[in-house]
Amino acid sequence: PVDISAVQAWGQLPIDHPWFVSNSEPVVVAAGRLHPQKGFEYLIRAFQRVVTTVPAKLVILGEGPSRSHLEELVMKLGLENVVALPGFQRNPYPWMARAAVFVLSSLYEGFGNVIVEAMALGVPVVATRCPSGPNEVIDDGVNGLLVPVADEAALAAAILRVLKDEKLAAKLRRQGPELSLIHISE
């Protein structure tokens, strides 16, 4: 269960991070345990493709055993000025609420409450079509976008679609909160 009202209220709280204060470039947000299951390596590689097309930033919230590997990958790809790993956030909702896109890049997942939370905040969601979870919440192209698991090219293309197509982004922002309530009540 997700307390939609609480998520929306917590999402309105202030956030002290320069990428969200200036609003000069769109910020893509992901959240979860820094573990291979979450597919953050694919997300970082996908994001390298994104920033060759549009200026943007990526924030990955969370802590876990893959932190040093992910930090090394960010450095190796030369993305240290556009990718941040600020660690675990007790309240991730202000970060999510201000995102241009929320990404779930998991290789496998359970239900994926974080998808419903992002949708409730009116944030366009891009997620992998991993076994269970995202397929149960996202109707591809209606309230979010689904891409194949571990496919960084498809992930980058979906993120770019949302960042470049304002009509699509507006549709996903509008449909997300409506359909997140339906999925929770079922």
Side-chain angles (χ1 to χ4, degrees):
V2 175
D3 185 340
I4 301 295
S5 299
V7 167
Q8 291 171 337
W10 293 330
Q12 299 305 310
L13 294 175
I15 183 172
D16 184 27
H17 189 280
W19 293 354
F20 294 94
V21 174
S22 68
N23 284 339
S24 62
E25 294 176 346
V27 180
V28 175
V29 174
R33 188 166 180 253
L34 302 184
H35 184 277
Q37 170 201 348
K38 299 300 183 179
F40 291 136
E41 180 173 337
Y42 296 99
L43 174 57
I44 292 168
R45 290 184 186 282
F47 196 72
Q48 182 183 33
R49 295 171 184 237
V50 169
V51 296
T52 62
T53 303
V54 298
K57 308 282 190 189
L58 171 63
V59 171
I60 301 174
L61 305 174
E63 209 44 80
S66 293
R67 171 175 280 287
S68 62
H69 171 71
L70 296 174
E71 289 173 336
E72 288 171 16
L73 180 60
V74 167
M75 296 291 279
K76 177 182 172 188
L77 298 177
L79 299 173
E80 55 272 10
N81 293 325
V82 295
V83 176
L85 289 91
F88 172 79
Q89 302 297 312
R90 185 173 303 275
N91 179 8
Y93 305 118
W95 300 76
M96 293 167 63
R98 289 161 179 82
V101 183
F102 182 83
V103 178
L104 183 129
S105 54
S106 297
L107 306 181
Y108 57 94
E109 195 62 62
F111 177 71
N113 281 350
V114 71
I115 295 171
V116 175
E117 294 164 345
M119 290 168 59
L121 292 165
V123 178
V125 175
V126 170
T128 52
R129 193 184 299 272
C130 56
S132 75
N135 288 334
E136 298 170 21
V137 181
I138 295 176
D139 185 1
D140 189 27
V142 175
N143 64 336
L145 299 179
L146 292 170
V147 300
V149 172
D151 186 337
E152 57 200 56
L155 190 57
I159 293 167
L160 284 167
R161 273 185 68 197
V162 176
L163 292 178
K164 293 169 84 176
D165 185 343
E166 185 49 46
K167 281 186 177 182
L168 173 63
K171 174 185 174 184
L172 299 179
R173 278 193 289 275
R174 186 176 59 255
Q175 292 292 325
E178 294 173 16
L179 292 175
S180 69
L181 293 172
I182 291 169
H183 285 288
I184 289 301
S185 64
E186 290 177 344

